[in-house]
Amino acid sequence: MITFPFHELEFWYQQFKRDLPWRKFQDAYHVWVSEIMLQQTQVNNVIPYYQRFLKKFPTIKALAQAEEEDVLPLWSGLGYYTRARNLLKTARIVTEKFKGNLPSTFEELLKLPGIGPYTAGAILSIAYHLPYPVLDGNVKRVFSRFFLEKSNQKLEEIAKHLIDQSYQLKNDPSSFNQSLMELGALVCNPQNPTCLSCPLQKGCGAFKKNLQSFYPQLTKKNQTQYRFFALLMAVKKIDGSIKFLVRKRSKNEQWLKELWEFPMIQLKKDLKVRNKQALLEEFFKIFSQQTKCKIKECAYMGNFFHSITHHRLKIHVVKSSLDGSLQGFGPTQWVANKDLKKIASSSILKKALAL
DNA sequence: TTCCCGAGGA
DNA sequence: TCCTCGGGAA
Ligand code: SF4
């Protein structure tokens, strides 16, 4: 028997829980879509994506009938794009094999692409009200601090025991798990936990010993690697409207596979921005050597950074008109500004446009 | 600049 | 068991 303030936490949750779009309908489909989007992604960034996604695909069957080209644009800028591809794969499997109902056992859920232990637990507890633990980053942090425990294995055991105990007390696993995650997000946050307003304060080990910043165990991080790129925003007037040239990345690229982007060339070293004329000439050389096309009326638009896990990309942007076609970049197309949001892309495209 | 966050493949 | 994938907030 573990001592834990179940009632205080539940009371706090009912009072302070946020009114999030995926809390409106907590059936398996809504829970699944939201939990996939919330993997590695902040709540506030997910909200608009979730709303657009559900509007376009209100049911799992609607999603199953879609093609990747319909799904990926709704993921543009959200990151971890295999999530969207796996979402579609799983929708098709579930529609064919389970008549459109997500399975309600841990083992069956784990077999589905994109569903791991956390997401399986979330679906089982939130949608099906079954006593399965969820141990995401938020919950891990709360337990680690409350029980002064750094071992992942021990934390998993604690999570299992607590959801069972909570269930014995006739608590709904859905609200118990969500209350833990909500507390981790709103109160017991990573950098600045507000222990003075925390419903778990009384029994909390980290609070008692003032050790909040040492729990949970911090994971060692890879060193950031820098890469430098020249990006070409080629513009052309077609039938009286301005269009941009984009290319589709291949499936062999390291990241952002098969997404559309403004053509980029990796540089051996950073460009010096001080001399803009020299920079433009350098840029011209880089692109004309590798693309066999002529760029003219160049303008240096500036640069920005973009992070992809432990890589940090510094991207220089030149806007120009273009004669001839681009060789060696795979499929290309000219797209009007207003249609750029309809293609699958990363947020690099948005950042370049915003310069 | 650093930090945070699940699943899958090697 | 380690390493990889994106992006935004602080
Ligand atoms: S008292 Fe502080 S450290 Fe303990 S659970 Fe609450 S917010 Fe976290």
Side-chain angles (χ1 to χ4, degrees):
Chain A
M1 205 61 163
I2 304 174
T3 306
F4 191 81
F6 294 102
H7 183 260
E8 286 83 347
L9 178 59
E10 174 65 19
F11 187 79
W12 173 87
Y13 180 61
Q14 293 309 333
Q15 191 176 354
F16 293 108
K17 68 178 173 190
R18 290 167 291 180
D19 185 16
L20 299 171
W22 44 89
R23 293 206 167 128
K24 201 168 172 189
F25 305 104
Q26 300 211 311
D27 60 288
Y29 178 62
H30 288 83
V31 172
W32 169 56
V33 172
S34 65
E35 290 300 339
I36 298 293
M37 287 188 172
L38 287 163
Q39 288 169 8
Q40 311 297 302
T41 311
Q42 307 259 341
V43 165
N44 283 330
N45 302 323
V46 166
I47 292 173
Y49 285 86
Y50 177 82
Q51 286 168 332
R52 285 193 291 265
F53 196 94
L54 263 292
K55 195 170 175 187
K56 179 123 183 206
F57 306 115
T59 64
I60 193 166
K61 286 181 184 168
L63 177 57
Q65 286 165 10
E67 298 297 327
E68 236 178 57
E69 306 95 81
D70 308 318
V71 179
L72 278 172
L74 288 169
W75 218 270
S76 291
L78 197 59
Y80 292 100
Y81 297 91
T82 53
R83 290 184 296 173
R85 300 191 165 102
N86 283 337
L87 205 61
L88 178 56
K89 283 185 199 161
T90 290
R92 288 176 175 167
I93 294 171
V94 169
T95 301
E96 281 177 26
K97 213 174 148 189
F98 302 105
K99 298 179 181 170
N101 298 311
L102 276 153
S104 55
T105 67
F106 193 76
E107 292 69 28
E108 287 295 337
L109 283 171
L110 271 196
K111 289 183 197 162
L112 298 168
I115 299 186
Y118 164 70
T119 308
I123 293 170
L124 291 169
S125 62
I126 300 173
Y128 295 126
H129 303 273
L130 297 170
Y132 283 83
V134 291
L135 201 59
D136 72 343
N138 286 321
V139 180
K140 194 179 277 189
R141 189 169 52 250
V142 171
F143 286 166
S144 175
R145 286 174 176 165
F146 187 87
F147 295 106
L148 284 180
E149 182 58 68
K150 289 182 176 174
S151 146
N152 276 324
Q153 204 193 329
K154 287 270 178 53
L155 289 169
E156 280 175 33
E157 287 167 18
I158 290 172
K160 278 202 194 82
H161 279 112
L162 281 184
I163 189 76
D164 283 341
Q165 274 182 230
S166 161
Y167 199 54
Q168 305 281 327
L169 297 169
K170 309 269 191 244
N171 288 328
D172 182 355
S174 168
S175 63
F176 177 62
N177 280 340
Q178 290 192 77
S179 67
L180 284 167
M181 296 192 275
E182 195 78 339
L183 190 80
L186 297 182
V187 177
C188 194
N189 59 19
Q191 304 302 329
N192 213 348
T194 51
C195 301
L196 295 182
S197 58
C198 177
L200 308 188
Q201 189 205 98
K202 192 156 166 282
C204 178
F207 174 72
K208 202 173 297 170
K209 300 192 174 179
N210 202 25
L211 290 174
Q212 295 91 328
S213 59
F214 298 97
Y215 291 81
Q217 176 88 283
L218 36 78
T219 52
K220 55 179 180 295
K221 53 202 178 277
N222 282 320
Q223 184 152 14
T224 307
Q225 294 173 22
Y226 280 81
R227 300 200 191 185
F228 307 100
F229 289 86
L231 182 154
L232 178 68
M233 272 177 71
V235 186
K236 196 187 214 171
K237 208 168 192 179
I238 302 174
D239 301 333
S241 76
I242 304 286
K243 301 208 172 182
F244 293 88
L245 180 67
V246 292
R247 54 114 11 179
K248 191 178 190 178
R249 296 172 67 84
S250 86
K251 58 164 166 274
N252 301 321
E253 314 252 5
Q254 182 177 5
W255 49 58
L256 309 177
K257 298 175 205 293
E258 297 189 278
L259 300 187
W260 294 88
E261 68 176 7
F262 295 130
M264 293 200 297
I265 291 178
Q266 188 168 353
L267 309 168
K268 292 202 171 63
K269 55 184 168 62
D270 198 10
L271 294 174
K272 291 188 182 61
V273 183
R274 194 162 298 171
N275 184 341
K276 287 201 177 166
Q277 194 50 44
L279 187 146
L280 284 177
E281 280 166 24
E282 178 73 12
F283 208 91
F284 180 84
K285 222 186 319 176
I286 293 165
F287 266 90
S288 50
Q289 272 171 5
Q290 298 196 28
T291 64
K292 299 190 171 57
C293 67
K294 288 205 182 84
I295 56 179
K296 51 184 189 180
E297 296 168 38
C298 288
Y300 182 67
M301 305 297 288
N303 60 72
F304 60 86
F305 287 92
H306 183 80
S307 294
I308 300 182
T309 64
H310 60 285
H311 304 275
R312 195 160 163 78
L313 283 51
K314 185 178 180 187
I315 300 173
H316 295 273
V317 179
V318 166
K319 199 171 187 176
S320 80
S321 58
L322 180 77
D323 267 355
S325 65
L326 212 55
Q327 301 293 311
F329 277 82
T332 60
Q333 61 172 322
W334 291 92
V335 181
N337 199 337
K338 67 173 172 49
D339 294 327
L340 284 172
K341 64 170 87 64
K342 298 181 190 166
I343 61 175
S345 63
S346 79
S347 67
I348 293 175
L349 191 136
K350 270 181 236 166
K351 290 181 184 175
L353 280 172
L355 279 180

